[in-house]
Amino acid sequence: MSKNWQVKNIVEEASDTEESEEEQKDEESFEDDELSGLDIPEAKLPILRSIVSKGKAVANDEQQYFQQNERSEDADKLAIREELSNLTFEELQKLKEKIGSKKFNLTLTGVKKKPQVKTDFKRANPNRPREISSKSRRIETKVAIQVPKVFRSDPRFDNLCGEFRERSFYRNYDFVNKMKEDEVKKLKEELQEETQPRRIEKIKYLIQRMENQIRAEKKRKLEEEKQEEEKRITIEALKEGKSPYFATKWARKERDLKEKFESLKEDGRLNQYMAKKRKHNAQRDRRHMPSEQY
Amino acid sequence: MSFFIRKNQRGAKRNNGATVTGRPKTYKEKKRLAHDDEISSHSEGENDDSRVYTESEEDEETVQEKRLRLTKEYIQEIENQERIRREEHDIDKSVIAHRLKEDLLEQSGRLRRTVADSYEKVDEALIRHLHCKDHKQPITCLTISPDCQSLFTASKDCTIVKWCLVDFKKVAAIKRVDKKTSSEVKGHKSVVQSLSISSDGKFLASGDLDNQIHIWDPMTMKWMHTFRGHRAGITGLVFRRGTHTLYSASMDRTVKIWNLDEMSYVETLLGHQDAITSIDALNKERAITAGGRDNSLRVWKIPEESQLIFNGHQGSIDCVRLINEDHFVSCGDDGMLSLWGSQKKKPLCSVSGAHGVDASNNQAFWISSVAALTNTDLIASGSQDGFIRLWKCGDNFRTLTPLLSVPVCGFVNSLAFSSDGKMLIAGLGQEHRLGRWWRNGSAKNEIVIIPLKQRETS
């Protein structure tokens, strides 16, 4: 160990920290990164490595660690020193280079950390600079560049968004359907002028999609109208004093079929439709027939 | 003990009884020297070549007696001097006390002198410019040897050059090294951002952005050792005065301490939250570092393993220098120059826009370097506005008043005062030392030596 060759002053250097108490300092707790990258084979330093890994695991709960290992401190030190005595000089050098000569000398001599090192930092007044330990690897909570934390909320479960009402929702956003119809027209015009194949594909896809959506929307509107019609009948009946009219499922189905029949007849596609239906039903019925294999 | 031995006067060469092999003195050799050297009390103005080193505990008794005898002789000496000066027969005790106090402060390196006002305007014709082939790219850092005889500079082309300050010529160079050069030839592979020389002139340390610290012998410019251990580029190096302890600051947010007597790594100091941009130290076992964008300056108390945190500046803090053991100055890319005291967590005095405002983007010019004449009230700051400004710290370091302006062309990447206060050396470049945000084509990559002249006091 070499000392400084500086001329010592009679007057002690003025120190602006208070006198340190004789606190029992945590014994040499090796940092988790200390032994990483060390060239000595794994088998050679079992006790040292176990202390390092223990320190890593209990890094957050220092007090617990301290209480647990108070008694076995000396035993640990003896064990470490025994281990070190078995190492070759070259390996000792490597270990020293890795953990630093200060810690290395402390382990060899077994001296406790000097009373100069203190854990309780209290400043005389709040204008003085803040004092903390220079050895802890924990990152302080204040980060140099602060990113605002984004809070996202699901409107389905958020109380502020209210309850979902289907009819009012569709009524409020009905204007979108009109926009869709306009856009379909524009896209069709664009399609005629477009030359790039990829873009043509995309436009076609979009047109199809939008037309599907428009069709579905119309269907939904029809359904809504029918329901409203039923309600109107019921209300009128009640007004006149008759008993209310509630349609059954079958009645509704029948009515739908009739309407479809009428519309197909007008279009002239009735035969085509019936033929398809017959074919489809035949396919379905064939499933229930016994198989032809004997 | 030590105060009756005159320390060497500023600028004088030191010769401490060199060892046979020229290697650093071990503890035993120093002890032997201590006993062999003749200790004598001096009259004013004589150069002193001897020193007293620390004694061990066994010899304390005899040394105590020696001390006593020599103290008495010294006080007698002072009395005689004062008597001659004042031509009185009775000497006032307080005069002697004052004189002793001054001598003690000077010995320990803590005497503060107010010299800033005595500097007169710089004669631009006497400014010297140093160029060389090895420094084709901007100069990044420089350091002056403690005897003011040589200057070491490093630049972005990974070279280190030694200049002689007597005849202002290049003496030696350490060239750039890459994969092709053999491993025997030592040098730097990437930009050298920091240089430092020990206060006895025995070691020169250089750190680059490739995580390596090379140690050279300043006399012969021969490679001595390489320290590896940092995980990112090294942005600051400083030796503790009077020792062979090296403090290194790096972009991996750690400060590492190295012992050059044993060529070993001692310990690491942790705490910064952003890459460290600058480090400085004086005689105490303390270092101060500037932490870039975490807006903190930290004073590391090494034996106590603690750090003091100072907060200030709005942008990145780029450079910090100690003026004396209790005060320091810092500069940043917000254009602010701040004076600090060790007792207050906020700056004592701040000058914003110290180098003016950039007309092109309406922002204050970044102050890239600052230098302080140790234990005085003189500060110099450099930026890209074309001037090196000298400031005076007044009123117990609570005010900063501009003193002089020296016109220079280019980015002032590094500034240093010579220890005798007679020269101010600046390393200039066409670009900022840390990057290429601007390029000043009309500037030259050179070293500028500004002679400072003090007014004759009556």
Side-chain angles (χ1 to χ4, degrees), chain A residues 238-287:
Chain A
L238 282 172
K239 270 188 188 171
E240 287 173 16
K242 291 183 198 165
S243 56
Y245 168 68
F246 294 115
T248 55
K249 249 190 187 175
W250 168 242
R252 284 202 194 111
K253 213 171 179 184
E254 211 181 339
R255 181 201 54 195
D256 286 340
L257 276 173
K258 274 187 189 166
E259 280 183 23
K260 197 160 195 181
F261 190 74
E262 293 298 315
S263 68
L264 281 170
K265 214 177 179 183
E266 280 174 36
D267 288 344
R269 294 186 304 160
L270 186 61
N271 291 332
Q272 198 185 30
Y273 178 74
M274 293 307 280
K276 267 192 182 171
K277 252 306 191 230
R278 239 176 265 135
K279 199 175 170 187
H280 183 68
N281 286 338
Q283 288 275 4
R284 289 185 70 184
D285 289 338
R286 195 174 288 168
R287 262 197 290 128

Side-chain angles (χ1 to χ4, degrees), chain B residues 195-228:
Chain B
L195 274 181
S196 182
I197 189 166
S198 63
S199 56
D200 58 350
K202 290 266 162 60
F203 297 106
L204 172 73
S206 61
D208 62 6
L209 293 182
D210 216 14
N211 322 353
Q212 281 180 340
I213 303 172
H214 285 296
I215 310 291
W216 315 88
D217 178 11
M219 309 289 187
T220 57
M221 291 306 264
K222 283 234 161 78
W223 174 86
M224 288 173 84
H225 195 265
T226 303
F227 285 121
R228 276 172 250 267

Side-chain angles (χ1 to χ4, degrees), chain A residues 17 101 127 130-132 135, chain B residues 265 267 301 306-307 309:
Chain A
T17 58
S101 58
N127 290 329
R130 192 164 53 104
E131 189 166 357
I132 55 173
K135 290 289 183 175
Chain B
Y265 154 69
E267 58 179 339
K301 291 191 201 163
S306 71
Q307 53 181 296
I309 306 176

